[in-house]
């Protein structure tokens, strides 16, 4: 594996999940694999889980890790081509990424969408420039349109807690929020669930339709009550509008999941990627109950990152062996 930016970079979904769960039982099984290899984790936006879990995963594999919050600690980055840099930006992404290519063996990048210009965000311009100019194997730590480490984690968590002998019903439900949030987490979750062996439903208010490239095969309804019927897992998340790009169309509190609504489900477990705003997106009564999986889910971030880094390290070693063999 050279890139991990979407589900399309994975050829064997269930094999990946199985291997991640194997790491959960044997965290240090490949402690030698990352020896003398350096992972660079570059954040253009805040993070708690992604930063800590990916760092821990790399340490479990014996790697060295360097973290930089480039938005706060680095030179102001120019990402556009063809501009005269006589304003506030100091360093171009071409040089910044190129230099990172000299220091690291694997690069992780977090770059949120601006939510102003849909075409720009959905082109994944910044992520693609880091890939191109660093020349490194790259893992997305959440980009303009996707959060694949989170989605892999979510599939691992669902697999662990799924009922025996039948496909689980998984429901993604929109939740209210005061701020405009990216579509990256729901896009990515939908994209992974559509490829997984689950029965998948999405529910949201009118105007919150996701880009259809991520939702092929999902049942989509505006009726939350109907969607929740017999659910085994409820994935709660706010996102801003894709159609009226980046806008908050409603903050209707009736869309916040309640304990009463859990009554129509199949004793559903409640998931959220975190951070979560209590009693705005999701009630404290649910978060503090045994129905919530959010802490265990966040714990699984380590195993998702570890299996991805392992596969990148293996591909790297294989490539180096081939170069030695052919003398190129
Ligand atoms: N990495 C997980 C989610 C990150 C981001 N949430 C946020 O920005 C929350 C901000 C707030 O609640 O003010 C999102 O939804 O994509
Ligand atoms: N879920 C998640 O990605 O959390 P952070 O934004 O804290 O990394």
């Amino acid at each position: 594996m050279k890139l991990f930016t979407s589900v399309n970079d994975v050829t064997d979904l269930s094999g990946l999940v199985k291997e991640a769960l194997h790491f959960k039982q044997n965290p240090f099984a490949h402690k030698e694999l990352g020896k003398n290899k350096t992972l660079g984790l570059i954040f253009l936006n805040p993070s708690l889980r992604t930063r800590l879990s990916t760092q821990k995963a790399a340490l479990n594999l014996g790697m060295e890790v360097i973290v930089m919050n480039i938005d706060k600690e680095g030179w102001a980055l120019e990402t556009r081509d063809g501009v005269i840099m006589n304003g506030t930006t100091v360093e171009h992404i071409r040089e910044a990424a190129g230099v990172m290519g000299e220091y690291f063996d694997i690069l992780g990048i977090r770059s949120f969408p601006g939510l102003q210009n849909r075409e720009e965000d959905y082109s994944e311009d910044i992520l693609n420039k880091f890939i191109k100019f660093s020349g490194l194997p790259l893992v997305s730590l959440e980009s303009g349109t996707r959060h694949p480490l989170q989605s892999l984690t979510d599939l691992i968590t669902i697999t662990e807690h799924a009922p025996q002998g039948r496909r689980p019903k998984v429901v993604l439900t929109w939740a209210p929020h005061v701020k405009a949030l990216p579509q990256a987490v729901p896009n990515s979750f939908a994209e992974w669930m559509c490829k997984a062996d689950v029965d998948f439903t999405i529910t949201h208010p009118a105007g919150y339709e996701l880009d259809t490239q991520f939702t092929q095969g999902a049942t989509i309804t505006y009726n939350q009550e109907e969607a929740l019927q017999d659910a085994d897992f409820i994935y709660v998340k706010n996102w801003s509008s894709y159609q009226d790009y980046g806008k908050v169309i409603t903050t209707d509190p009736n869309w916040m999941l309640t304990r009463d609504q859990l009554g129509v489900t199949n004793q559903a477990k409640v998931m959220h990627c975190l951070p979560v705003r209590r009693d705005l997106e999701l009630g404290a009564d649910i978060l503090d109950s045994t129905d919530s999986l959010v802490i265990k889910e966040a714990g699984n971030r380590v195993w998702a990152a570890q299996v991805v880094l392992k596969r990148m390290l293996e591909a790297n070693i294989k490539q180096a062996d081939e170069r030695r063999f052919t003398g190129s």
Side-chain angles (χ1 to χ4, degrees):
M1 189 185 279
K2 174 117 204 269
L3 294 175
F4 185 72
T5 63
S6 87
V7 73
N8 302 319
D9 294 319
V10 181
T11 48
D12 59 331
L13 209 54
S14 58
L16 196 70
V17 170
K18 223 169 125 184
E19 205 175 342
L21 286 169
H22 179 73
F23 267 130
K24 190 166 182 170
Q25 299 307 318
N26 308 278
F28 308 112
H30 293 272
K31 183 77 191 161
E32 297 301 314
L33 192 65
K35 196 168 176 239
N36 299 333
K37 300 282 181 193
T38 305
L39 172 68
L41 296 176
I42 307 296
F43 289 89
L44 282 81
N45 316 91
S47 170
L48 186 152
R49 279 142 292 274
T50 305
R51 174 180 171 153
L52 299 181
S53 62
T54 311
Q55 185 160 0
K56 185 170 158 94
L59 295 175
N60 286 350
L61 290 165
M63 297 185 82
E64 302 291 331
V65 188
I66 297 175
V67 182
M68 185 175 186
N69 299 311
I70 200 169
D71 57 324
K72 297 185 192 75
E73 298 155 0
W75 298 110
L77 207 58
E78 181 58 64
T79 60
R80 297 165 301 169
D81 278 317
V83 291
I84 298 169
M85 287 170 57
N86 58 0
T88 51
T89 57
V90 179
E91 171 139 47
H92 201 276
I93 193 167
R94 286 177 178 253
E95 282 83 41
V99 169
M100 288 171 196
E102 298 286 313
Y103 301 152
F104 306 137
D105 298 289
I106 298 176
L107 182 61
I109 293 287
R110 166 164 286 193
S111 172
F112 285 177
L115 295 178
Q116 302 297 320
N117 180 334
R118 184 168 92 177
E119 220 175 296
E120 198 176 291
D121 290 345
Y122 274 65
S123 76
E124 293 286 12
D125 182 52
I126 295 178
L127 189 70
N128 289 330
K129 282 179 172 155
F130 271 110
I131 293 171
K132 183 171 173 190
F133 298 121
S134 73
L136 292 171
L138 183 142
V139 49
S140 163
L141 306 175
E142 189 172 342
S143 69
T145 63
R146 292 173 171 96
H147 193 359
L149 281 177
Q150 182 65 51
S151 312
L152 172 56
T153 300
D154 297 331
L155 183 56
I156 292 166
T157 309
I158 287 168
T159 305
E160 257 186 321
H161 294 89
Q164 291 292 315
R166 63 176 174 83
R167 277 156 71 93
K169 177 172 176 182
V170 179
V171 179
L172 166 62
T173 182
W174 183 90
H177 200 292
V178 285
K179 239 175 78 180
L181 298 191
Q183 295 105 33
V185 170
N187 280 346
S188 201
F189 184 73
E191 179 174 66
W192 284 68
M193 288 303 125
C194 287
K195 287 217 168 167
D197 192 19
V198 304
D199 171 1
F200 182 49
T201 298
I202 305 172
T203 184
H204 55 71
Y208 281 95
E209 288 75 11
L210 294 168
D211 183 349
T212 54
Q213 68 166 306
F214 302 103
T215 60
Q216 295 301 313
T219 304
I220 304 171
T221 171
Y222 297 146
N223 188 332
Q224 192 188 38
E225 205 65 46
E226 188 184 286
L228 294 175
Q229 283 286 337
D230 302 322
D232 295 297
F233 297 92
I234 306 171
Y235 199 85
V236 177
K237 184 74 186 85
N238 168 268
W239 62 89
S240 61
S241 175
Y242 172 72
Q243 270 92 351
D244 195 358
Y245 193 62
K247 296 287 182 302
V248 175
I249 303 170
T250 176
T251 55
D252 183 359
N254 289 318
W255 273 87
M256 191 176 87
L257 188 71
T258 64
R259 281 196 74 82
D260 281 352
Q261 283 174 301
L262 293 182
V264 304
T265 72
N266 203 349
Q267 295 180 306
K269 293 291 182 194
V270 179
M271 301 173 68
H272 189 288
C273 65
L274 304 181
V276 65
R277 297 213 188 190
R278 284 177 166 244
D279 296 318
L280 174 71
E281 288 177 84
L282 192 51
D285 53 352
I286 292 182
L287 281 166
D288 295 334
S289 78
T290 53
D291 300 322
S292 166
L293 278 182
V294 299
I295 304 295
K296 289 199 164 91
E297 182 184 354
N300 282 338
R301 290 292 304 268
V302 176
W303 320 116
Q306 197 164 334
V307 72
V308 168
L309 292 174
K310 178 204 175 231
R311 290 199 175 190
M312 285 187 172
L313 287 167
E314 283 172 342
N316 207 256
I317 290 164
K318 195 163 162 247
Q319 218 179 20
D321 282 350
E322 276 163 8
R323 269 201 304 272
R324 254 197 308 278
F325 185 69
T326 58
S328 60

